[in-house]
Amino acid sequence: MGKKSKKKEKKMAVKETRKLAKEEPSDIASEVLDDGYIDVMDDKTVALFPLGDMIIPTGIDYKPGDPEEDALAVTDALPEIEDLCFLEVPKFFSLKGSVVTPAMMLELSRAVQRVLIRPEVSGVVVTQPADNIEETAYFVSISLSDVFQNQNSKPIVFTTCMNPEDPMFDGTKNLLDSIRVACHDVKGDIPTVVVCMNGEIHAASRAQLTHTNKASALASPGWGPVGYVDRDNVYFRCGALELDTGLNFPMLKKLTAKVPVVKAMCGDDGALLEMVLEKEPDAIIVEGFGRGNLPAGMMPAIKKAVKKGIFVVISTRASSGRVLDSTVFPGSVAQCLESGCLLAGETTTAKARLLLMYVLSQKEAIQLKKEDPERFFAYVQECLDPVLTNRLFG
């Protein structure tokens, strides 16, 4: 039998199996044990969203375009998948280049939610180039609609490979591990959106790339992983759910808010920040030094922005730790807070920008900002750092 005939036969078998699965749904329930292990469920479907090049071994017969053919190509290359789930590849855009834009992130979020409302789909795996994977995962985590969150707690798993051209290719294991995580009935025991790499599972809100090409580049500085994948078993740590919660807005159609980033440098006189203000942004993320402190020369521009009604969020260039008003001097975080700035807490600069873009694009948020500015200010601060909000606003 030729190669094409075998693929056709396999494709028909997969369709028939899926048909039977829908006619006779499995009554197998997942069992959550005391040690944190969650059993893999049988007869599940996982949707695979490939953004950019697939992180599977080169040389396979994969031509993006036909979802059925794409799923078969991946399963042919990684036969272990058949023991875990049915795999499907929904029709979706193919990323050109290595960086996912905020508009693409919003489109992805909508597509993922549409797929996950189907009862037979147990989870989603998204593969993309590594460059800004933590931003994409974080944006999806905050943009899950209120309706979706009230009805679903299925895993959305992001993964990538750090060395696509290296003989020690890490993409295959990352993909298999991610599919294992997506096959689990999480029952609210882990964050809905996670990033899975190098056998570790990280909450989207804390995940960061800490190296340019190491397979172990993904980390959650100051927090650590929420779980890990060990052969066929997936383990989760206690309290992981508290790390990520969506913002409970309706599904957003378009990002409209403009939120630039300005990085503080030694001796900065605020000239660059003044130039940014001329573009009339909705908010500005100002990345400060370690604790978040700024050069004193930036303060006049900071105060000018706040007076104009522009949200100014102070973040830190450090990879872990909170922005906090620990000391008082010209340019200090304490002075920024007194001037009306928001503090990013442990939210990274890139993620704080996405959060402000999302919130300030919501009609309900804009209306609240007009009707009750102080309450809205407190709400945004709570999204960034709930602990600080309790201290400032009780």
PDB file of all heavy atoms in Angstrom, residues 343-364:
ATOM      1  N   LEU A 343       1.411  51.312  40.608  1.00  0.00           N
ATOM      2  CA  LEU A 343       2.593  50.476  40.742  1.00  0.00           C
ATOM      3  C   LEU A 343       2.307  49.087  40.187  1.00  0.00           C
ATOM      4  O   LEU A 343       1.263  48.491  40.481  1.00  0.00           O
ATOM      5  CB  LEU A 343       3.020  50.375  42.209  1.00  0.00           C
ATOM      6  CG  LEU A 343       3.261  51.694  42.956  1.00  0.00           C
ATOM      7  CD1 LEU A 343       3.877  51.418  44.319  1.00  0.00           C
ATOM      8  CD2 LEU A 343       4.150  52.648  42.139  1.00  0.00           C
ATOM      9  N   ALA A 344       3.245  48.564  39.394  1.00  0.00           N
ATOM     10  CA  ALA A 344       3.038  47.281  38.708  1.00  0.00           C
ATOM     11  C   ALA A 344       3.172  46.082  39.632  1.00  0.00           C
ATOM     12  O   ALA A 344       2.793  44.974  39.258  1.00  0.00           O
ATOM     13  CB  ALA A 344       4.027  47.150  37.545  1.00  0.00           C
ATOM     14  N   GLY A 345       3.713  46.280  40.829  1.00  0.00           N
ATOM     15  CA  GLY A 345       3.901  45.135  41.718  1.00  0.00           C
ATOM     16  C   GLY A 345       4.892  44.156  41.123  1.00  0.00           C
ATOM     17  O   GLY A 345       5.994  44.523  40.735  1.00  0.00           O
ATOM     18  N   GLU A 346       4.497  42.886  41.002  1.00  0.00           N
ATOM     19  CA  GLU A 346       5.354  41.868  40.398  1.00  0.00           C
ATOM     20  C   GLU A 346       5.046  41.655  38.926  1.00  0.00           C
ATOM     21  O   GLU A 346       5.628  40.772  38.289  1.00  0.00           O
ATOM     22  CB  GLU A 346       5.215  40.549  41.152  1.00  0.00           C
ATOM     23  CG  GLU A 346       5.820  40.579  42.541  1.00  0.00           C
ATOM     24  CD  GLU A 346       5.816  39.207  43.185  1.00  0.00           C
ATOM     25  OE1 GLU A 346       4.820  38.868  43.833  1.00  0.00           O
ATOM     26  OE2 GLU A 346       6.815  38.484  43.039  1.00  0.00           O
ATOM     27  N   THR A 347       4.135  42.424  38.371  1.00  0.00           N
ATOM     28  CA  THR A 347       3.807  42.307  36.957  1.00  0.00           C
ATOM     29  C   THR A 347       4.927  42.921  36.123  1.00  0.00           C
ATOM     30  O   THR A 347       5.321  44.060  36.355  1.00  0.00           O
ATOM     31  CB  THR A 347       2.475  43.023  36.641  1.00  0.00           C
ATOM     32  OG1 THR A 347       1.462  42.541  37.532  1.00  0.00           O
ATOM     33  CG2 THR A 347       2.055  42.767  35.207  1.00  0.00           C
ATOM     34  N   THR A 348       5.431  42.168  35.158  1.00  0.00           N
ATOM     35  CA  THR A 348       6.533  42.672  34.341  1.00  0.00           C
ATOM     36  C   THR A 348       6.079  43.833  33.462  1.00  0.00           C
ATOM     37  O   THR A 348       4.883  44.035  33.250  1.00  0.00           O
ATOM     38  CB  THR A 348       7.103  41.569  33.434  1.00  0.00           C
ATOM     39  OG1 THR A 348       6.096  41.158  32.477  1.00  0.00           O
ATOM     40  CG2 THR A 348       7.553  40.364  34.244  1.00  0.00           C
ATOM     41  N   THR A 349       7.030  44.568  32.955  1.00  0.00           N
ATOM     42  CA  THR A 349       6.731  45.714  32.089  1.00  0.00           C
ATOM     43  C   THR A 349       5.870  45.308  30.904  1.00  0.00           C
ATOM     44  O   THR A 349       4.845  45.942  30.603  1.00  0.00           O
ATOM     45  CB  THR A 349       8.044  46.340  31.585  1.00  0.00           C
ATOM     46  OG1 THR A 349       8.819  46.773  32.705  1.00  0.00           O
ATOM     47  CG2 THR A 349       7.768  47.528  30.672  1.00  0.00           C
ATOM     48  N   ALA A 350       6.271  44.240  30.213  1.00  0.00           N
ATOM     49  CA  ALA A 350       5.544  43.798  29.018  1.00  0.00           C
ATOM     50  C   ALA A 350       4.118  43.386  29.351  1.00  0.00           C
ATOM     51  O   ALA A 350       3.168  43.702  28.616  1.00  0.00           O
ATOM     52  CB  ALA A 350       6.290  42.640  28.357  1.00  0.00           C
ATOM     53  N   LYS A 351       3.946  42.687  30.467  1.00  0.00           N
ATOM     54  CA  LYS A 351       2.607  42.226  30.840  1.00  0.00           C
ATOM     55  C   LYS A 351       1.742  43.372  31.363  1.00  0.00           C
ATOM     56  O   LYS A 351       0.535  43.400  31.114  1.00  0.00           O
ATOM     57  CB  LYS A 351       2.718  41.102  31.869  1.00  0.00           C
ATOM     58  CG  LYS A 351       3.306  39.820  31.278  1.00  0.00           C
ATOM     59  CD  LYS A 351       3.513  38.746  32.321  1.00  0.00           C
ATOM     60  CE  LYS A 351       4.121  37.492  31.698  1.00  0.00           C
ATOM     61  NZ  LYS A 351       4.391  36.435  32.699  1.00  0.00           N
ATOM     62  N   ALA A 352       2.349  44.318  32.072  1.00  0.00           N
ATOM     63  CA  ALA A 352       1.594  45.490  32.532  1.00  0.00           C
ATOM     64  C   ALA A 352       1.053  46.274  31.337  1.00  0.00           C
ATOM     65  O   ALA A 352      -0.088  46.763  31.363  1.00  0.00           O
ATOM     66  CB  ALA A 352       2.490  46.380  33.396  1.00  0.00           C
ATOM     67  N   ARG A 353       1.855  46.384  30.298  1.00  0.00           N
ATOM     68  CA  ARG A 353       1.401  47.074  29.084  1.00  0.00           C
ATOM     69  C   ARG A 353       0.189  46.373  28.475  1.00  0.00           C
ATOM     70  O   ARG A 353      -0.812  47.029  28.122  1.00  0.00           O
ATOM     71  CB  ARG A 353       2.541  47.121  28.061  1.00  0.00           C
ATOM     72  CG  ARG A 353       2.123  47.616  26.683  1.00  0.00           C
ATOM     73  CD  ARG A 353       3.297  47.649  25.719  1.00  0.00           C
ATOM     74  NE  ARG A 353       2.862  47.969  24.361  1.00  0.00           N
ATOM     75  CZ  ARG A 353       2.664  47.048  23.411  1.00  0.00           C
ATOM     76  NH1 ARG A 353       2.872  45.758  23.684  1.00  0.00           N
ATOM     77  NH2 ARG A 353       2.279  47.400  22.208  1.00  0.00           N
ATOM     78  N   LEU A 354       0.237  45.050  28.355  1.00  0.00           N
ATOM     79  CA  LEU A 354      -0.879  44.309  27.781  1.00  0.00           C
ATOM     80  C   LEU A 354      -2.127  44.432  28.648  1.00  0.00           C
ATOM     81  O   LEU A 354      -3.239  44.571  28.135  1.00  0.00           O
ATOM     82  CB  LEU A 354      -0.501  42.835  27.615  1.00  0.00           C
ATOM     83  CG  LEU A 354       0.545  42.528  26.540  1.00  0.00           C
ATOM     84  CD1 LEU A 354       0.959  41.062  26.608  1.00  0.00           C
ATOM     85  CD2 LEU A 354       0.015  42.861  25.145  1.00  0.00           C
ATOM     86  N   LEU A 355      -1.949  44.391  29.958  1.00  0.00           N
ATOM     87  CA  LEU A 355      -3.086  44.518  30.858  1.00  0.00           C
ATOM     88  C   LEU A 355      -3.775  45.869  30.685  1.00  0.00           C
ATOM     89  O   LEU A 355      -5.004  45.939  30.588  1.00  0.00           O
ATOM     90  CB  LEU A 355      -2.627  44.340  32.310  1.00  0.00           C
ATOM     91  CG  LEU A 355      -3.724  44.222  33.373  1.00  0.00           C
ATOM     92  CD1 LEU A 355      -3.268  43.341  34.527  1.00  0.00           C
ATOM     93  CD2 LEU A 355      -4.143  45.586  33.916  1.00  0.00           C
ATOM     94  N   LEU A 356      -2.988  46.950  30.636  1.00  0.00           N
ATOM     95  CA  LEU A 356      -3.578  48.287  30.456  1.00  0.00           C
ATOM     96  C   LEU A 356      -4.232  48.423  29.090  1.00  0.00           C
ATOM     97  O   LEU A 356      -5.300  49.042  28.949  1.00  0.00           O
ATOM     98  CB  LEU A 356      -2.523  49.361  30.662  1.00  0.00           C
ATOM     99  CG  LEU A 356      -2.358  49.952  32.074  1.00  0.00           C
ATOM    100  CD1 LEU A 356      -3.588  50.760  32.472  1.00  0.00           C
ATOM    101  CD2 LEU A 356      -2.085  48.894  33.118  1.00  0.00           C
ATOM    102  N   MET A 357      -3.610  47.849  28.051  1.00  0.00           N
ATOM    103  CA  MET A 357      -4.210  47.890  26.713  1.00  0.00           C
ATOM    104  C   MET A 357      -5.571  47.218  26.719  1.00  0.00           C
ATOM    105  O   MET A 357      -6.533  47.714  26.119  1.00  0.00           O
ATOM    106  CB  MET A 357      -3.297  47.195  25.703  1.00  0.00           C
ATOM    107  CG  MET A 357      -2.034  47.954  25.338  1.00  0.00           C
ATOM    108  SD  MET A 357      -0.992  47.040  24.169  1.00  0.00           S
ATOM    109  CE  MET A 357      -2.025  47.052  22.706  1.00  0.00           C
ATOM    110  N   TYR A 358      -5.660  46.082  27.401  1.00  0.00           N
ATOM    111  CA  TYR A 358      -6.906  45.317  27.430  1.00  0.00           C
ATOM    112  C   TYR A 358      -7.978  46.040  28.245  1.00  0.00           C
ATOM    113  O   TYR A 358      -9.112  46.225  27.785  1.00  0.00           O
ATOM    114  CB  TYR A 358      -6.644  43.925  27.999  1.00  0.00           C
ATOM    115  CG  TYR A 358      -7.872  43.057  28.061  1.00  0.00           C
ATOM    116  CD1 TYR A 358      -8.427  42.521  26.896  1.00  0.00           C
ATOM    117  CD2 TYR A 358      -8.495  42.781  29.275  1.00  0.00           C
ATOM    118  CE1 TYR A 358      -9.561  41.732  26.946  1.00  0.00           C
ATOM    119  CE2 TYR A 358      -9.634  41.990  29.322  1.00  0.00           C
ATOM    120  CZ  TYR A 358     -10.163  41.470  28.167  1.00  0.00           C
ATOM    121  OH  TYR A 358     -11.284  40.691  28.209  1.00  0.00           O
ATOM    122  N   VAL A 359      -7.624  46.454  29.450  1.00  0.00           N
ATOM    123  CA  VAL A 359      -8.611  47.098  30.332  1.00  0.00           C
ATOM    124  C   VAL A 359      -9.103  48.412  29.741  1.00  0.00           C
ATOM    125  O   VAL A 359     -10.314  48.687  29.728  1.00  0.00           O
ATOM    126  CB  VAL A 359      -8.002  47.333  31.727  1.00  0.00           C
ATOM    127  CG1 VAL A 359      -8.935  48.199  32.577  1.00  0.00           C
ATOM    128  CG2 VAL A 359      -7.745  46.005  32.434  1.00  0.00           C
ATOM    129  N   LEU A 360      -8.192  49.235  29.236  1.00  0.00           N
ATOM    130  CA  LEU A 360      -8.579  50.556  28.734  1.00  0.00           C
ATOM    131  C   LEU A 360      -9.237  50.498  27.353  1.00  0.00           C
ATOM    132  O   LEU A 360      -9.619  51.533  26.805  1.00  0.00           O
ATOM    133  CB  LEU A 360      -7.347  51.473  28.694  1.00  0.00           C
ATOM    134  CG  LEU A 360      -6.749  51.804  30.067  1.00  0.00           C
ATOM    135  CD1 LEU A 360      -5.498  52.663  29.914  1.00  0.00           C
ATOM    136  CD2 LEU A 360      -7.774  52.507  30.959  1.00  0.00           C
ATOM    137  N   SER A 361      -9.376  49.299  26.798  1.00  0.00           N
ATOM    138  CA  SER A 361     -10.128  49.133  25.545  1.00  0.00           C
ATOM    139  C   SER A 361     -11.562  48.685  25.804  1.00  0.00           C
ATOM    140  O   SER A 361     -12.360  48.602  24.872  1.00  0.00           O
ATOM    141  CB  SER A 361      -9.432  48.095  24.647  1.00  0.00           C
ATOM    142  OG  SER A 361      -8.155  48.534  24.234  1.00  0.00           O
ATOM    143  N   GLN A 362     -11.891  48.408  27.065  1.00  0.00           N
ATOM    144  CA  GLN A 362     -13.225  47.932  27.416  1.00  0.00           C
ATOM    145  C   GLN A 362     -14.182  49.115  27.622  1.00  0.00           C
ATOM    146  O   GLN A 362     -13.878  50.056  28.344  1.00  0.00           O
ATOM    147  CB  GLN A 362     -13.159  47.110  28.710  1.00  0.00           C
ATOM    148  CG  GLN A 362     -12.407  45.807  28.579  1.00  0.00           C
ATOM    149  CD  GLN A 362     -13.231  44.737  27.868  1.00  0.00           C
ATOM    150  OE1 GLN A 362     -14.423  44.926  27.611  1.00  0.00           O
ATOM    151  NE2 GLN A 362     -12.588  43.631  27.560  1.00  0.00           N
ATOM    152  N   LYS A 363     -15.355  49.047  27.005  1.00  0.00           N
ATOM    153  CA  LYS A 363     -16.346  50.116  27.130  1.00  0.00           C
ATOM    154  C   LYS A 363     -16.780  50.304  28.579  1.00  0.00           C
ATOM    155  O   LYS A 363     -16.939  51.437  29.051  1.00  0.00           O
ATOM    156  CB  LYS A 363     -17.567  49.800  26.254  1.00  0.00           C
ATOM    157  CG  LYS A 363     -17.294  49.880  24.760  1.00  0.00           C
ATOM    158  CD  LYS A 363     -18.559  49.602  23.974  1.00  0.00           C
ATOM    159  CE  LYS A 363     -18.295  49.696  22.472  1.00  0.00           C
ATOM    160  NZ  LYS A 363     -19.520  49.399  21.666  1.00  0.00           N
ATOM    161  N   GLU A 364     -16.965  49.188  29.297  1.00  0.00           N
ATOM    162  CA  GLU A 364     -17.399  49.276  30.689  1.00  0.00           C
ATOM    163  C   GLU A 364     -16.344  49.973  31.534  1.00  0.00           C
ATOM    164  O   GLU A 364     -16.665  50.761  32.441  1.00  0.00           O
ATOM    165  CB  GLU A 364     -17.667  47.874  31.253  1.00  0.00           C
ATOM    166  CG  GLU A 364     -18.889  47.191  30.676  1.00  0.00           C
ATOM    167  CD  GLU A 364     -18.595  46.511  29.352  1.00  0.00           C
ATOM    168  OE1 GLU A 364     -17.457  46.676  28.842  1.00  0.00           O
ATOM    169  OE2 GLU A 364     -19.495  45.834  28.838  1.00  0.00           O
TER     170      GLU A 364
END
